[in-house]
Amino acid sequence: MNVTFRGGVHPKGRKELSREAPLRRFDPEPCEMVFPLAQHIGKPAKAIVKKNDPVLVGQKLADADGFVSACVISSCSGTVKAVEKRRTIAGTMTECVVVDNDGKYSPVEGLGERQELSGLTNQDILDRVKNAGIIGLGGAGFPTHVKLAPKAPDKIKYLIANGAECEPYITCNDQLMRSQAAGIVEGLEIALRLYPNAECVIGVEDNKPEAIASMRKAVEGKKRMRVLPLHTKYPQGGERSLIRVIAGVDFPVSMLPADVGCIVLNVGTAYAIGRAVAWNEPLYAHVLTVTGEAVREPGNFIARDGTSFAQLLEACGGVKEGVTPAKALSGGPMMGVAVGSLEVPIQKNTNALTLLAEDPLEKAEKQMTFCLHCGRCSTVCPNGLVPALMADAIDMKNWERYEKKLYGLDCIACGCCTYICPAKRPLTQMFKQTKAEIMARKRAAQAGGKK
Amino acid sequence: MNQTLNLSAGPHVRDRWSTAFIMRMVLLALMPATVIGIYTFGLKALWVVLVSVVSAVGTEFLFDKLTGRPDTWKDGSAALTGLLLALTLSASTPLYAPLIGSIFAILVVKCAFGGLGKNFINPALAARCFLLISFPNAMTIYSLDGVASATPCAELAAGRVVNLTSMFLGTANGVIGGSILGLLIGGLALWAFDIIHGQICFTVLGAFTVFMGLFGGKGFDPGFLAAHLCGGGVVLGAFFMATDYVTSPMSRLGQTFYGLLIGVLGAVFRIWGAAADSFSYSIITANLFTPFIDTYIVDLPFAYRRRAVERRAPGWVKKPLLKSIPKPVIALTVIALLAGLALSGAYSLTKDSIDAQKAAAAAAAYKTVLPEAESFEPMTAQVEALEGQVYGSGFGRVYINEAMAGKDAAGNVVGYAVSVTSAEGYDGNVTLSLGVSADGTINGVSFTELHETPGKGMLWAEEENLSRFAGKSASKLTLGTDIDAITSVTVTSKAVVNAVNAGLDFINTQLRGE
């Protein structure tokens, strides 16, 4: 048994569906490619192309607007068809750059050329990361150049590479670690230059022995770098869970990882940093798994941003015969978002399409009862919250108690409580909504105060 | 692909365990004790269990149908309530008791408050207490193999020796779910599978044991403590009643506190209150504190606990720590302790006057049964020679409490008076004073302790019935021939005649010879 954190759950991994499928590139035939301007946390990017502009692979379509923002890079060559509102994974209509892909994939000049790294200053590294449009590929999509620039870089003790991949079904990072270990380590070495006092720890769940072996081989002889096998448990790959395991620190939601001396990067992000800084290749393609019981041949891809889920599913042989998909998820079943249509573009932080043959929620809804106060939710909460009491406080509209006594805002929405609840109560969903409401009320109060 | 896809907020997978699954696991865990109970008490026990379970499930079914609510009767919680209630009953209970009890538990305690998850006290225990109050006599008939007798717990309360092995195995007289072995198998399995919280059940047992040891009057005598742990539903309560999710607190600290409350109250009630039902009342009392405990005691998230804050290097903003223990909790503890102390204090303050009153009552009783005597002289030597054992043979479980020689003004012995207790009354002890003249004829009988069924056993206390004994001079009376039995009061009649016979025998063999 390897090191782990308190709480957590053990949903069925189902990684066997796709874990042995090697990464393959997927370049769609001439088609329409859609690039949302708001793929990251922060301000949406500002489009710098207009209709009928010719674009090349690696060309910037939109520039970061402000500090916490990220630019958007074209993954194909062709002409800009429109800058308009399109439906995205979140289900809403958002501003997108639509490119008519000519299928030639002609690159911009210098794309993929080896760069000289010795003379680079820290600021150069951050600038390249920023211009490559890199955001956290683990899911949240926080702009990486912001994350890499904490107030006190010399106080960073751990640079944590997140290769846990605790989300069920998803296997693309497993395959990335197996085949591109050197590329990941290259990116981590570049990032490590920013933190003179840090050690780089690559955390991988122990259900991926090949990936652990491959990463171990890649870090051999490297200074300040090691691979740490982790116990297989959801949410082992959560930022806080990893910091808990590696640095031994718990910290409230009001603090950032950098405040406790940690920077956490997804292995995919680390790889993207390496490609961007050392090979002049901005982030326009990333790894992604297409899996689920309803997919004929589940697989792992290096997919180009802007490709639609439907195209990727087609590349997997489509839907398995005799199966009717019940639910399509962008991401895995724990953190993923259900999508109503597969005609939506994948984004930088889209790590999977999971097509479920059966919706487990249909059964769960029939089993729903009142809360028993069994306390299973609080035993699995990785933050040590008491979800049942939080739900009671919501029922009674007691926001004061929710926030001050139960620390409800510390919920990271990992979904463990909802998963484990024998009464099948939609706890995480309530907490997400309540958090949004409380934050909105606070912002309104602040705005009112200023006037 | 044109079919519609389901949309919902994540997470999109659920654990296998449902409410119904947990209820079934608890039902399964109760099976060893149930089976042993039915094996020990026979078909009667099976009937009590069946009536209780079926009426509980049936009540919920009807309630669901009549109110148009979802089919909650299928989730197994009603069956569990029914089974738990049955296990707290005697196999000899008339079948209307489990029927009414289950209906009360489901309809009033559970459904009326909103169903599973919304009840504020344990339905099975509430029903048991409801039955105890409504049918005090029917609820306390305990018989094994057709012989009615006091339960080990009642004997323990009377300070007598009990058979620990039979209590542990469940072959002693008592409730259906009395097998400690069976309960421990199920209870420990539930704990091992994380279905019940160890901090509740073990705290209950620990607190009870320590309190019994400190204030039980026998110190930490292992036999005494084990007997108390094995009797009166302590184990059933600790593992299956106190741990009921709905009515117990959520936080670890709260659960420990709740466990302490049950253990201590259980011991307080047992030492200074009605022995057999102490645990039912202590758990229900603690149930009522649960919302209060949940309001004030909440486990801090990991990041806010003292250790985590100290671990984060200094210089960072310190979040407010748990301001030690919340004030209301301290207040609650103090109130609980004060109540306990008040109980014991009141007892010791009034003990002397109670004793004096008892002595006066006894003296009055002796005077009634032996009016010729001017004064009574205790004959302690002969009573002490019995060493508190059951007197003689053929009288059932009968004890001689006291013996007096009645003297006239001149100091001549005119007769003898003894106080005799039979432990085999319909509802516990029957204690009477028996007066015998110097020539051996019975002068009179008077009850000092009789709490039998009104209109039945209690009829013995009436003048006309008491007077049946006067003037009899046989050395042993036979019910039916020497003494007319009171119709359909078999158990009490037998106990009364046994006590009188034992008293006669004692006077004839031990006192009159001198």
Side-chain angles (χ1 to χ4, degrees), chain B residues 33-53:
Chain B
T34 313
V35 170
I36 296 176
I38 293 172
Y39 174 81
T40 309
F41 297 102
L43 272 180
K44 279 192 302 177
L46 182 64
W47 275 112
V48 172
V49 171
L50 282 180
V51 167
S52 187
V53 171

Side-chain angles (χ1 to χ4, degrees), chain A residues 16-282:
Chain A
E16 68 279 3
L17 290 173
S18 58
R19 61 173 298 160
E20 296 305 329
L23 284 177
R24 55 188 167 117
R25 290 202 158 270
F26 177 65
D27 301 327
E29 298 291 299
C31 64
E32 200 181 81
M33 305 276 266
V34 181
F35 301 89
L37 296 179
Q39 306 187 15
H40 48 266
I41 290 179
K43 248 181 140 179
K46 241 184 354 218
I48 52 172
V49 291
K50 54 188 189 301
K51 198 175 171 181
N52 297 330
D53 278 359
V55 290
L56 296 169
V57 174
Q59 185 180 331
K60 219 183 252 186
L61 295 175
D63 214 343
D65 185 15
F67 184 57
V68 185
S69 182
C71 50
V72 179
I73 312 291
S74 175
S75 66
C76 61
S77 57
T79 46
V80 175
K81 189 178 174 187
V83 180
E84 61 181 21
K85 290 210 162 170
R86 287 292 181 97
R87 193 165 300 282
T88 57
I89 285 171
T92 51
M93 304 292 280
T94 49
E95 200 73 8
C96 299
V97 175
V98 185
V99 177
D100 249 334
N101 177 8
D102 58 14
K104 291 179 192 143
Y105 298 102
S106 330
V108 290
E109 206 179 320
L111 186 79
E113 271 175 20
R114 178 75 194 175
Q115 305 288 304
E116 179 51 47
L117 296 178
S118 52
L120 284 181
T121 63
N122 289 355
Q123 194 52 48
D124 290 340
I125 294 175
L126 292 176
D127 284 346
R128 285 192 189 189
V129 168
K130 184 178 181 185
N131 284 325
I134 298 176
I135 62 172
L137 301 189
F142 191 73
T144 301
H145 64 275
V146 183
K147 192 190 246 184
L148 288 180
K151 277 182 208 131
D154 51 335
K155 276 197 181 154
I156 299 298
K157 285 176 287 181
Y158 293 101
L159 174 67
I160 299 171
N162 182 1
E165 203 163 51
C166 58
E167 181 80 35
Y169 286 90
I170 304 179
T171 56
C172 54
N173 278 343
D174 184 4
Q175 282 296 332
L176 183 74
M177 285 185 283
R178 291 197 211 181
S179 59
Q180 305 292 337
I184 295 170
V185 170
E186 186 173 42
L188 289 172
E189 276 185 304
I190 292 166
L192 207 48
R193 285 168 68 162
L194 305 172
Y195 317 112
N197 303 319
E199 185 198 11
C200 176
V201 182
I202 304 164
V204 186
E205 273 189 358
D206 54 9
N207 61 354
K208 292 179 265 294
E210 300 90 348
I212 292 174
S214 161
M215 292 310 294
R216 279 207 163 127
K217 212 172 146 212
V219 299
E220 236 169 58
K222 308 272 185 201
K223 273 183 198 156
R224 299 198 280 154
M225 261 197 189
R226 66 184 159 107
V227 176
L228 181 70
L230 304 166
H231 184 53
T232 301
K233 185 166 76 173
Y234 178 87
Q236 183 67 74
E239 197 167 63
R240 277 150 199 277
S241 311
L242 280 170
I243 293 172
R244 167 68 233 172
V245 171
I246 290 164
V249 184
D250 288 301
F251 57 104
V253 81
S254 56
M255 289 169 78
L256 290 172
D259 294 335
V260 290
C262 295
I263 300 277
V264 183
L265 291 176
N266 184 275
V267 287
T269 316
Y271 180 71
I273 293 172
R275 296 306 295 178
V277 178
W279 298 90
N280 191 28
E281 193 182 283

